[in-house]
Amino acid sequence: MSRVYNFSAGPSMLPEEVLKQAQEEMLECGDSGMSVMEMSHRSKAYDAIIKEAERLVRELMNVPDNYKVMFVQGGGSTQFAMVPMNLGVKCKAADYLITGQWAKKAAQEAEKYVKVNKIASSADKTFSYIPKPEADAFSSKDEVDYCYICYNNTIYGTRYTELPKTDAVLVADISSNAMSEVIDVSKFGILFAGAQKNLGPAGVVLVIAREDLIGEPQEGTPTMLTYKIHADNDSLYNTPPTYAIYIFKLVLEWIKSKGGIAEIQKINEAKAKILYDYLDQSKLFKGTVVPEDRSLMNVPFVTGDADLDAKFVKEATAAGLVNLKGHRTVGGMRASIYNAMPVEGVQALVDFMKKFEAENA
Ligand SMILES: *Cc1c(COP(=O)(O)O)cnc(C)c1O
């Protein structure tokens, strides 16, 4: 067996310790006599798992008591509808900041349920920066039910370092930066994250919602798309993705074992610095994002020559550095360096880039 360094944007690397523990517990978890996959979601053994998963979210992210923590299905994309259906009740309007594909898709979906104000967009420069409108560009909190951002833009490699100057309830898609950096939950109405980028396997979505915002949804909202239903039933209204939540819990235990999110953030900053420092002095490779808005998690870069990009990806793959091909809308390469990517993996990538640069000068 030889595990590669997997730079996939998602589903992505999981910590090896987590996979080994899952392997050990595959046939029998604890003294239950069965695999987690075989447990009733109403059993005592499973209840302990899902309760601990929620408790760890609250502990690690310092979630205030007036917030609900939910595990739902349908991927990050279902949240694009759930947010407007559940929050778009009073004004039936919302502000959106368009910073890439995921924000664009979220706005498109929201248009089915609320009036969408596109406050700003960075489409003019292939989403290579975060637009920073002044406070007066936003609707007031009496005009919109919420203001929506995609906190970390997985495809384009940008991230917010300062939150938008709005007084409306802030909603953020944190699918690709959840638990990679400290986030002050109290500044948000809703945070959501599909697990498969940074938190676990595909199939479960973490939602953190301020309790007072999730009363009655819009008329006609399906039961399964109603936050309050999931919140009131402790994510057990129907069968949740039991195994995905179990792995998610193991990942959170791993984060805790590393000292928590603040410590993980330090490691992530060090990892990103290794790569950006090299990109900034390279004569062959170039980062595509303005320095002040660079993501810690997703790092797109190009040589400027599509054939050379393809050669790089091919040779990197042969060297055990896989899934470096960039998104089709950006081209070039993208290295996703989520929590589970060790420093050694980023160093190996930079060493390989140096060698490639020397050979292709
Ligand atoms: C991957 C991703 C999504 C989509 O998630 P799915 O689970 O595939 O629906 C949404 N937002 C962001 C920021 C993502 O990175």
Side-chain angles (χ1 to χ4, degrees):
M1 188 192 72
S2 69
R3 281 179 57 81
V4 292
Y5 288 122
N6 180 5
F7 294 91
S8 169
S12 45
M13 267 184 97
L14 286 167
E16 208 165 293
E17 294 96 314
V18 165
L19 296 175
K20 283 192 174 139
Q21 189 175 344
Q23 181 179 41
E24 272 169 28
E25 295 179 338
M26 178 58 76
L27 293 179
E28 182 181 12
C29 185
D31 54 9
S32 66
M34 61 182 82
S35 162
V36 175
M37 274 181 269
E38 303 167 300
M39 286 177 187
S40 162
H41 59 296
R42 309 274 176 214
S43 65
K44 239 178 112 180
Y46 190 73
D47 203 56
I49 292 172
I50 193 167
K51 289 257 158 57
E52 181 61 5
E54 175 181 342
R55 199 196 62 73
L56 282 164
V57 172
R58 290 186 176 279
E59 178 186 329
L60 290 168
M61 292 185 74
N62 199 12
V63 178
D65 287 343
N66 62 325
Y67 283 71
K68 293 288 189 183
V69 173
M70 292 165 254
F71 304 115
V72 301
Q73 301 192 55
S77 300
T78 297
Q79 294 307 304
F80 300 166
M82 278 180 83
V83 166
M85 287 174 130
N86 285 271
L87 262 55
V89 177
K90 221 174 80 200
C91 310
K92 292 196 162 55
D95 284 356
Y96 276 73
L97 290 167
I98 310 300
T99 52
Q101 294 252 19
W102 296 121
K104 208 158 90 183
K105 282 191 173 159
Q108 261 166 15
E109 187 73 359
E111 274 170 346
K112 296 181 182 173
Y113 308 102
V114 294
K115 178 176 175 286
V116 168
N117 309 311
K118 290 176 189 151
I119 298 302
S121 166
S122 46
D124 58 335
K125 289 182 181 158
T126 331
F127 301 113
S128 58
Y129 70 102
I130 297 284
K132 300 171 185 84
E134 288 307 320
D136 59 8
F138 293 90
S139 309
S140 84
K141 63 177 189 299
D142 305 320
E143 296 168 320
V144 287
D145 294 305
Y146 61 92
C147 173
Y148 182 102
I149 63 167
C150 181
Y151 205 128
N152 181 80
N153 294 279
T154 324
I155 294 173
Y156 299 95
T158 60
R159 95 186 216 270
Y160 285 84
T161 50
E162 245 177 72
L163 295 178
K165 297 174 182 149
T166 175
D167 64 0
V169 168
L170 203 52
V171 172
D173 175 355
I174 54 167
S175 291
S176 51
N177 67 329
M179 302 203 196
S180 70
E181 58 181 314
V182 176
I183 290 177
D184 181 352
V185 175
S186 72
K187 293 202 156 67
F188 297 87
I190 306 264
L191 291 166
F192 70 85
Q196 71 272 21
K197 310 284 163 59
N198 229 341
L199 301 175
V204 59
V205 180
L206 168 67
V207 178
I208 303 174
R210 216 177 74 202
E211 219 173 332
D212 61 295
L213 297 170
I214 56 167
E216 279 298 297
Q218 286 188 358
E219 209 182 300
T221 299
T223 307
M224 281 296 290
L225 300 187
T226 302
Y227 285 136
K228 193 168 160 40
I229 291 285
H230 294 287
D232 286 351
N233 290 280
D234 297 323
S235 304
L236 290 163
Y237 172 75
N238 73 324
T239 316
T242 51
Y243 198 74
I245 292 170
Y246 155 76
I247 299 285
F248 170 92
K249 182 195 80 120
L250 297 185
V251 171
L252 267 52
E253 285 169 351
W254 176 83
I255 293 173
K256 188 173 171 180
S257 78
K258 298 282 163 193
I261 296 175
E263 290 305 310
I264 288 270
Q265 177 172 352
K266 280 185 209 156
I267 299 168
N268 286 334
E269 283 166 353
K271 271 156 47 184
K273 187 171 173 355
I274 294 172
L275 190 44
Y276 286 124
D277 280 355
Y278 169 68
L279 285 171
D280 284 342
Q281 59 77 56
S282 170
K283 292 195 171 57
L284 182 64
F285 299 102
K286 186 165 122 312
T288 58
V289 169
V290 299
E292 65 269 24
D293 297 331
R294 284 169 165 174
S295 168
L296 295 175
M297 296 286 100
N298 310 97
V299 183
F301 55 95
V302 295
T303 63
D305 173 343
D307 291 338
L308 204 54
D309 287 349
K311 183 172 185 242
F312 175 80
V313 170
K314 188 161 172 258
E315 291 182 10
T317 304
L321 307 165
V322 310
N323 285 322
L324 282 162
K325 191 173 187 308
H327 191 269
R328 61 190 182 281
T329 58
V330 185
M333 282 69 70
R334 171 179 49 172
S336 294
I337 49 175
Y338 296 119
N339 289 349
M341 174 62 68
V343 179
E344 295 76 25
V346 179
Q347 193 57 58
L349 172 62
V350 168
D351 291 346
F352 182 80
M353 289 167 79
K354 282 181 185 160
K355 182 168 151 278
F356 187 88
E357 179 167 355
E359 287 167 2
N360 292 275

